[in-house]
Amino acid sequence: MSKIIGFNNAIFWTDDTGILYCEFNNDDPNFKLELNNVELYIKAITTLCDGNAMPFLIDLKGTRGTFSVSAAKMLAQNPEIIKLRISESYVVNNLGMKLLLSFYKRLYDHVTPFAIFNDVALAKKYALETKNNVHKTSELQYQY
């Protein structure tokens, strides 16, 4: 069953695949993601995940801009999100966003597995593979 939470420039949802989808839309290159929005996004994510760890598929094709340092740190280091995030697959359509993501991951979150794609289907495949790998690892741990 799908669950959806929407904002002015973001939509978060889950479906029967066990993936948390995030889609951002903003065409203002001067936009900066700030702490107050991140707090709302974290609340949406924790609500949708409902305690279940999931891979995150983050579609940034329709967005431009950057983020504040405090917002980046909160996204990367929030304990609630860390427990829920299996992996991150990003979908981008320009080099600037790809560089921004690489910078963010290198500085703020070098632990969470991630990949950057230009195609949603490939990003979904990666998300499902990481989810399946986590579940296989958990099953093996219980066998010993």
Side-chain angles (χ1 to χ4, degrees):
M1 182 167 148
S2 292
K3 296 186 273 181
I4 300 171
I5 297 176
F7 299 94
N8 287 340
N9 65 339
I11 301 171
F12 298 84
W13 74 95
T14 59
D15 59 20
D16 60 355
T17 62
I19 296 172
L20 174 77
Y21 298 89
C22 312
E23 183 177 323
F24 296 90
N25 292 298
N26 172 57
D27 60 1
D28 179 2
N30 297 313
F31 177 80
K32 183 181 265 189
L33 180 61
E34 297 289 349
L35 205 54
N36 58 340
N37 285 342
V38 171
E39 290 169 348
L40 293 171
Y41 298 166
I42 288 172
K43 186 174 180 177
I45 291 166
T46 56
T47 299
L48 290 170
C49 288
D50 195 27
N52 299 307
M54 299 180 179
F56 293 8
L57 192 156
I58 304 157
D59 187 343
L60 299 170
K61 291 188 319 269
T63 196
R64 297 170 69 187
T66 187
F67 47 78
S68 69
V69 172
S70 58
K73 284 182 180 179
M74 180 176 269
L75 274 175
Q77 299 168 358
N78 180 278
E80 293 178 82
I81 299 297
I82 290 171
K83 290 187 291 188
L84 297 173
R85 186 175 51 212
I86 291 174
S87 67
E88 296 172 330
S89 47
Y90 293 93
V91 182
V92 302
N93 60 356
N94 65 63
L95 181 59
M97 189 58 71
K98 185 174 182 178
L99 291 172
L100 182 66
L101 283 171
S102 297
F103 172 75
Y104 162 77
K105 296 301 287 183
R106 185 165 294 147
L107 283 180
Y108 302 110
D109 180 17
H110 48 273
V111 175
T112 306
F114 79 100
I116 301 172
F117 302 92
N118 59 7
D119 179 72
V120 173
L122 293 174
K124 185 174 181 177
K125 181 179 177 191
Y126 173 81
L128 290 171
E129 287 173 359
T130 59
K131 178 183 162 197
N132 291 336
N133 288 340
V134 166
H135 290 298
K136 285 179 189 175
T137 302
S138 296
E139 289 171 6
L140 289 175
Q141 289 174 350
Y142 289 118
Q143 291 178 359
Y144 293 105

